[in-house]
Amino acid sequence: MSAETKVLDSWVLAEFATPDALVDATRQMREKGYQGMDTYSPYPLHGGSEALGLPPSRVPFIALGGALTGIVTALAFQTYMNTIDYPLNIGGRPTFSLPAWVPITFELAVLLTAFGIFFGLLGLSRLPQPYHPVFESEEFRSASTHGYWLSVPTAETTVKPDDIKNQLTSLGATHVTVVTGEKE
Amino acid sequence: MKVMERFTGGRGPMLAAAAVGAVGLGVTAVGFAVDTRRALFGYLFAFAYWAGIAVASLLLLGAWHASRARWPVVLRRMLETMAATLPLFALLFLPILVGASHLYPWLGEPPPLSEKDLKKLEHKRAWLNQPFWVVRSVLYFAVWSGVGEFLLRWSRRQDDTGELKLTQWQWWLGAGALPLVGLAMSFASLDWLMSLEPLFVSTVYGLYWFSGAFVGALAMLTLATTLARGPNLYGELVNDSHRASLGKFLFAFSVFWAYMAFSQFFLIWIANLPHEVPWYVLRAKGAWEPVALFIVNARFLLPFFVLLSRPFKEHRRTLAVTAGWLLLAHVVDTWWLVVPVVSPEGPRVHWADVSAFLGVGGAAVAFTLWRLRGHATVPVGDPYLRESLRYGG
């Protein structure tokens, strides 16, 4: 695909003065039927996920998968190495001694759970994402220091960007802007 | 906003608990006369269960003060009252003090041991002798009762005066006394429980008893919070987030208990030394094995999976049932620590076990309710109470 034929997406960005105003506006915009919205704040936003109507996180299941993988791998490895491949008599204990397997099993379960959470969250958040058109907006930089922002994609709605801007302003947005560009 | 008056209810439950306590202790007294040694072991088990929960309550309270915890302020009066039962336990310690020679082989008649083992026992005489043991026990109760009394009284005084300096005092005493209270609990576990088998050595023992009792204290607080619903009771002010946090505590310390239990077992199993292994051979091989397996599953595996889920932790009934289950599992665990010494042939419940458990427990619950009555059930003068009521986390 050549650069000329790439579809350009655009987003309406709105800044709010307080986290409560942002959560409130997000909820009202969602009730109006807008989809694919996202909130941006310098710290975790209380009630933000609920306002966006996000489904329950899938991270716990990835974590569980990591834990189970760790447990099964550790038990299988230790049993294969100590009981089957290279059995040694250590102090007369049986070559299959489960208590001795526990520390490694626990550690590997913890390690893979942590990996699952870390990389699972990165993957689900589509990170790392080196470029996004919202970075073009100079004002949007306040999202990492003191601003509370909402983005509304225009691609998934028939409402004109100007009308979206007006709706956001009437919901109390202190600053509204439109960015256009290509996601990747 | 609801107005909290002084709590005047709870008369019925208090009298019922007192009646259960009186009957239980009376029946146990008969046990002392009929089957002295066995009844004393039953009593020691009951005492270790309830007193352990009281001391662990004091440690939790101290930890909250040390961390300037704001969210649990609404739960704190109940915990303070639970911790302030320790003077009662000093009184309830008397049967153990009087009957010590029937319980501890290092007292009274020389036990039927080999000459070598008797020599080892003799070597421990500097620590394990009656006068020093009595002095230490008195010291433990002095520390626990003193700290518990001050924390409760200052908190109550703040109800009326609202003095901010009292918050400061509680922070200082609660945090400052933690090492002393914790060490006293650890040493008490060696003196009262581990020395039942005086040749056994385990450095994890104190932590094992503490971790179990800490889960017990948290479960007791959770259950009390669920039940404390009615006029002027703090349970009315508790929200989903408070419950979820109590559930997280229960989860964390169930895991901590498992870590301690496994650490002790693993080190002894892998070292395989003759003075350590008999303790586990008695408790985890043969007739007592099912009890040991039950404890691991009931205290760790089951609550682990139940308490993972946030909706379960928030749900009042589910959390209450889990807390009740953990209290029951702690009963079996404490019983498994004490009773195998007197009943090596297998897990047989003696009627004195039951009567002592109900007797000491009834007395403790009645005493707690008695101290709770006539005062507000939340620290109404605490500057962080508002923040605690708004807690969402």
Side-chain angles (χ1 to χ4, degrees):
Chain A
M1 200 158 35
S2 65
E4 285 78 12
T5 57
K6 273 187 184 166
V7 182
L8 294 180
D9 284 340
S10 62
W11 290 263
V12 181
L13 296 177
E15 187 182 17
F16 293 86
T18 64
D20 288 342
L22 171 57
V23 170
D24 206 42
T26 308
R27 195 173 38 75
Q28 294 195 40
M29 289 298 279
R30 184 165 65 88
E31 280 164 7
K32 285 180 185 166
Y34 291 101
Q35 289 181 342
M37 294 187 299
D38 208 351
T39 55
Y40 310 83
S41 54
Y43 50 81
L45 191 62
H46 202 75
S49 309
E50 291 79 2
L52 284 169
L54 295 178
S57 170
R58 276 181 290 158
V59 174
F61 294 98
I62 300 174
L64 182 68
L68 293 177
T69 312
I71 290 169
V72 172
T73 311
L75 289 179
F77 250 86
Q78 291 177 94
T79 308
Y80 171 70
M81 290 188 281
N82 294 317
T83 313
I84 299 162
D85 191 40
Y86 206 85
L88 274 181
N89 183 340
I90 303 166
R93 285 184 207 87
T95 53
F96 180 70
S97 288
L98 266 182
W101 289 193
V102 169
I104 303 282
T105 309
F106 170 73
E107 298 297 346
L108 201 65
V110 169
L111 181 72
L112 293 194
T113 307
F115 279 171
I117 293 171
F118 185 76
F119 293 110
L121 186 64
L122 276 187
L124 290 176
S125 313
R126 299 193 201 96
L127 289 172
Q129 189 173 0
Y131 177 75
H132 191 286
V134 297
F135 298 162
E136 297 293 335
S137 165
E138 196 62 33
E139 295 86 354
F140 184 71
R141 286 169 185 270
S142 75
S144 64
T145 53
H146 60 275
Y148 306 94
W149 288 81
L150 177 66
S151 75
V152 184
T154 57
E156 293 173 48
T157 175
T158 51
V159 185
K160 293 218 166 61
D162 278 342
D163 294 334
I164 301 177
K165 280 172 84 171
N166 290 336
Q167 285 174 4
L168 284 165
T169 311
S170 68
L171 284 172
T174 52
H175 189 98
V176 186
T177 180
V178 180
V179 292
T180 304
E182 191 193 324
K183 240 194 207 174
E184 292 303 326
Chain B
M1 198 177 153
K2 267 182 228 170
V3 179
M4 271 292 186
E5 300 282 341
R6 283 158 194 274
F7 173 59
T8 49
R11 201 179 132 84
M14 179 182 77
L15 291 178
V20 169
V23 172
L25 289 175
V27 172
T28 313
V30 175
F32 292 151
V34 180
D35 191 352
T36 315
R37 182 154 192 264
R38 186 62 185 83
L40 271 166
F41 269 90
Y43 189 84
L44 181 64
F45 138 72
F47 183 84
Y49 180 83
W50 293 99
I53 288 179
V55 182
S57 303
L58 187 57
L59 284 168
L60 178 61
L61 181 60
W64 279 353
H65 283 312
S67 58
R68 277 62 167 151
R70 295 170 185 186
W71 72 266
V73 168
V74 64
L75 311 168
R76 214 184 62 214
R77 179 56 47 81
M78 188 68 215
L79 192 66
E80 285 163 350
T81 318
M82 279 162 61
T85 52
L86 282 156
L88 173 76
F89 284 105
L91 192 67
L92 289 170
F93 186 66
L94 282 177
I96 297 168
L97 196 69
V98 174
S101 62
H102 297 279
L103 287 165
Y104 303 105
W106 47 272
L107 261 173
E109 297 287 306
L113 291 173
S114 70
E115 204 165 314
K116 188 163 158 263
D117 285 345
L118 282 175
K119 241 181 157 173
K120 272 194 206 158
L121 199 56
E122 197 51 43
H123 181 70
K124 297 189 179 197
R125 194 67 70 188
W127 183 265
L128 292 180
N129 64 76
Q130 192 159 23
F132 194 20
W133 181 83
V134 174
V135 168
R136 287 196 304 269
S137 299
V138 170
L139 209 65
Y140 305 149
F141 281 114
V143 168
W144 296 333
S145 308
V147 175
E149 280 300 310
F150 275 115
L151 289 178
L152 177 66
R153 277 165 199 244
W154 285 342
S155 176
R156 276 185 189 166
R157 195 170 119 193
Q158 201 178 39
D159 285 359
D160 301 321
T161 65
E163 291 165 284
L164 288 180
K165 69 173 185 200
L166 290 171
T167 296
Q168 195 79 52
W169 289 3
Q170 290 177 70
W171 284 350
W172 284 334
L173 180 65
L178 266 182
L180 210 57
V181 174
L183 282 176
M185 185 175 196
S186 184
F187 278 111
S189 78
L190 310 188
D191 282 346
W192 300 344
L193 300 174
M194 196 167 99
S195 79
L196 290 171
E197 291 140 292
L199 295 178
F200 174 63
V201 190
S202 165
T203 45
V204 187
Y205 196 95
L207 276 170
Y208 182 85
W209 186 46
F210 156 74
S211 59
F214 206 74
V215 174
L218 285 163
M220 195 67 88
L221 179 65
T222 308
L223 202 60
T225 304
T226 329
L227 294 174
R229 295 170 61 74
N232 300 322
L233 277 170
Y234 74 106
E236 300 280 345
L237 303 171
V238 169
N239 63 33
D240 283 357
S241 296
H242 291 117
R243 271 192 293 277
S245 287
L246 281 172
K248 284 178 213 162
F249 257 122
L250 283 172
F251 176 82
F253 280 91
S254 294
V255 174
F256 181 69
W257 173 87
Y259 199 96
M260 287 301 120
F262 184 73
S263 302
Q264 178 171 269
F265 170 76
F266 187 55
L267 293 178
I268 288 172
W269 174 83
I270 209 151
N272 210 12
L273 293 173
H275 60 280
E276 293 176 345
V277 161
W279 197 87
Y280 272 109
V281 171
L282 171 63
R283 286 171 177 78
K285 277 272 171 213
W288 282 88
E289 189 175 347
V291 182
L293 288 175
F294 170 81
I295 293 168
V296 173
N297 287 295
R299 295 212 75 160
F300 174 58
L301 275 183
L302 188 73
F304 180 88
F305 287 106
V306 171
L307 291 169
L308 263 181
S309 144
R310 185 169 174 113
F312 280 179
K313 285 186 289 234
E314 288 179 354
H315 190 249
R316 187 179 292 121
R317 185 163 301 196
T318 310
L319 187 66
V321 169
T322 311
W325 173 259
L326 284 168
L327 283 171
L328 181 80
H330 184 44
V331 173
V332 180
D333 188 13
T334 315
W335 193 65
W336 176 83
L337 275 184
V338 174
V339 171
V341 182
V342 74
S343 177
E345 68 279 2
R348 303 214 180 108
V349 181
H350 192 275
W351 51 269
D353 292 348
V354 181
S355 69
F357 182 80
L358 294 175
V360 176
V365 170
F367 191 77
T368 311
L369 287 171
W370 176 67
R371 297 208 82 168
L372 202 63
R373 280 160 53 87
H375 300 273
T377 57
V378 282
V380 288
D382 192 291
Y384 295 116
L385 181 59
R386 270 172 181 280
E387 209 167 319
S388 173
L389 294 179
R390 279 203 311 259
Y391 178 54

